[in-house]
Amino acid sequence: MEKIKVGIIGTGNISGIYLQNGSKFDSMQVVACADLDVERAKAKAEEHGIKGYSVDELLADPDIQMVINLTIPQAHASVNLRALEAGKHVYVEKPFAVTREEGLAVLELARKKGLYAGSAPDTFLGGGIQTSIKLIEDGWIGTPIGATAFMVGGGHESWHPAPEFYYQHGGGPMFDMGPYYLTALVAMLGPINRVTGSARISFPERTITSQPKYGQKVQVEVPTHIAGVMDFASGAIGTLLTSFDVKGGSRLPCIEVYGSVGTMQVPDPNGFGGPIYINRPGQKEWKEIPLAHGYSENARGVGAADMAKAILTGRKPRVSGELAFHVLEAMHGFHDASEQGVHYKMKSSCERPAPLPLGLQPFCLD
């Protein structure tokens, strides 16, 4: 079967799993990589038996049909725009862009060019969330009424070698981890109508206690504790808490969905697998539900492969730019609502991504 030829821009740490998984899928083949540090790109290319390019060289290669953009968030939109201008489809790591204006510019150019633009996270295509979606659709908990989602921790300065970004504009717990949770919620419950919330900077200055920057101070520019409420178009009401300020740990679940006849505990949306539990009236104990779908291990790249399959077949990609922009707008909406003391009415919407079919062979999407 024909495969879409893919080039990766950005050869940092996350590129390894994309290069490892990329050419295993039935829809795409990674043929080149590029980086601002051309020597690093060539070293990574040699390791994986592909071409090592400068960014300009990769974008000029007529054989490359799609770009996987793994640059830093501040460069996401500019690299996406360059790839689209070069006539290539583009799939980018989360977030889709830093600002709503940048995200809209990417969507508009993709439409003008007749190209696809999509974004991670693709963890919602894993067995954990996909099985959760099927359980909802099959009525195991009845009609969804609400959901809660919690991503709380003490921050990155105690373990990350370069944690400064996480406290600068474009960072923070909402933009770092919010895409995983919001994408999973939209995949299960559909698009969001409006959001509100409260946000604060609890510690204006952070001290790095990890190596190699031990003792350096970080000035915090973005909210680090955000509590939000979402009204879904379906009528369900969701609560989302993201925080880098929880120093004593937590026992909160990642996600719970509440239905008219039961409750479902959903796995960590930052992973592909994980256990699912359901409890209904009359049950004495929570029941673990086996996963009905594959991709339960680290399958990063499955979203890019889904986009490649969409290019080949003409169907809509599950990791669409419209979904990614909807999530980006919601994240900004929580901050806006807190600053202005209002409900933020969403301007965008999106289709709920089509579930993966049952019984897929490994590394297949349809």
Side-chain angles (χ1 to χ4, degrees), residues 86-137:
K88 304 181 191 305
H89 308 277
V90 65
Y91 176 88
V92 62
E93 251 302 327
K94 56 86 185 171
F96 186 55
V98 172
T99 70
R100 282 164 286 197
E101 293 76 15
E102 289 176 339
L104 281 174
V106 172
L107 285 181
E108 289 169 2
L109 183 59
R111 290 172 188 145
K112 178 181 175 182
K113 293 278 190 178
L115 297 167
Y116 286 130
S119 175
D122 55 6
T123 47
F124 77 95
L125 296 176
I129 304 299
Q130 287 295 307
T131 301
S132 299
I133 291 169
K134 179 165 178 56
L135 291 168
I136 292 172
E137 291 185 339

Side-chain angles (χ1 to χ4, degrees), residues 338-359:
S338 179
E339 291 172 4
Q340 300 168 22
V342 299
H343 278 91
Y344 175 87
K345 177 67 176 177
M346 295 285 288
K347 297 176 178 62
S348 70
S349 188
C350 66
E351 294 184 12
R352 193 165 67 87
L356 289 174
L358 293 172

Side-chain angles (χ1 to χ4, degrees), residues 60-224:
D61 187 334
D63 290 334
I64 292 174
Q65 300 158 278
M66 185 173 94
V67 167
I68 296 178
N69 178 2
L70 305 181
T71 59
I72 61 172
Q74 289 90 338
H76 282 181
S78 61
V79 172
N80 288 348
L81 292 169
R82 287 189 65 192
L84 292 167
E85 288 287 5
K88 304 181 191 305
H89 308 277
V90 65
Y91 176 88
V92 62
E93 251 302 327
K94 56 86 185 171
F96 186 55
V98 172
T99 70
R100 282 164 286 197
E101 293 76 15
E102 289 176 339
L104 281 174
V106 172
L107 285 181
E108 289 169 2
L109 183 59
R111 290 172 188 145
K112 178 181 175 182
K113 293 278 190 178
L115 297 167
Y116 286 130
S119 175
D122 55 6
T123 47
F124 77 95
L125 296 176
I129 304 299
Q130 287 295 307
T131 301
S132 299
I133 291 169
K134 179 165 178 56
L135 291 168
I136 292 172
E137 291 185 339
D138 289 352
W140 280 59
I141 61 170
T143 302
I145 294 167
T148 54
F150 302 100
M151 194 302 297
V152 299
H156 290 59
E157 65 271 22
S158 65
W159 61 271
H160 198 283
E164 299 95 326
F165 159 74
Y166 295 96
Y167 302 103
Q168 297 168 353
H169 293 296
M174 181 60 72
F175 281 82
D176 178 39
M177 296 299 293
Y180 295 104
Y181 288 76
L182 287 165
T183 303
L185 289 168
V186 171
M188 290 187 287
L189 302 175
I192 303 164
N193 270 349
R194 68 176 188 173
V195 303
T196 191
S198 295
R200 64 173 289 179
I201 296 174
S202 302
F203 307 100
E205 184 178 82
R206 302 264 182 157
T207 301
I208 299 175
T209 57
S210 60
Q211 295 297 338
K213 299 183 178 182
Y214 182 89
Q216 293 185 24
K217 305 293 184 181
V218 178
Q219 302 304 311
V220 179
E221 300 175 352
V222 292
T224 49

Side-chain angles (χ1 to χ4, degrees), residues 50-64:
I50 60 176
K51 298 175 182 176
Y53 280 153
S54 70
V55 174
D56 288 342
E57 289 171 337
L58 189 147
L59 292 175
D61 187 334
D63 290 334
I64 292 174

Side-chain angles (χ1 to χ4, degrees), residues 211-358:
Q211 295 297 338
K213 299 183 178 182
Y214 182 89
Q216 293 185 24
K217 305 293 184 181
V218 178
Q219 302 304 311
V220 179
E221 300 175 352
V222 292
T224 49
H225 189 93
I226 304 101
V229 177
M230 299 155 282
D231 294 341
F232 291 88
S234 64
I237 298 172
T239 303
L240 174 64
L241 175 64
T242 66
S243 181
F244 286 163
D245 299 341
V246 178
K247 302 299 185 180
S250 167
R251 293 182 176 180
L252 292 166
C254 291
I255 298 177
E256 288 186 342
V257 180
Y258 311 112
S260 57
V261 297
T263 297
M264 178 171 62
Q265 288 189 351
V266 179
D268 183 352
N270 190 23
F272 287 86
I276 300 169
Y277 296 97
I278 282 182
N279 198 21
R280 293 190 283 193
Q283 287 183 205
K284 294 183 178 179
E285 296 181 353
W286 291 81
K287 180 179 181 181
E288 183 173 354
I289 307 297
L291 300 187
H293 293 74
Y295 299 119
S296 59
E297 303 299 326
N298 190 347
R300 289 191 192 277
V302 64
D306 180 80
M307 176 173 285
K309 179 58 72 74
I311 296 166
L312 290 168
T313 62
R315 66 160 170 81
K316 294 180 179 180
R318 295 178 173 92
V319 290
S320 69
E322 289 74 19
L323 169 62
F325 180 79
H326 190 62
V327 167
L328 175 67
E329 185 189 6
M331 293 192 297
H332 278 289
F334 291 119
H335 287 182
D336 288 355
S338 179
E339 291 172 4
Q340 300 168 22
V342 299
H343 278 91
Y344 175 87
K345 177 67 176 177
M346 295 285 288
K347 297 176 178 62
S348 70
S349 188
C350 66
E351 294 184 12
R352 193 165 67 87
L356 289 174
L358 293 172

Side-chain angles (χ1 to χ4, degrees), residues 5-9 29-33 58 64 66-69:
K5 291 184 173 59
V6 174
I8 290 176
I9 297 180
Q29 180 182 2
V30 178
V31 298
C33 64
L58 189 147
I64 292 174
M66 185 173 94
V67 167
I68 296 178
N69 178 2

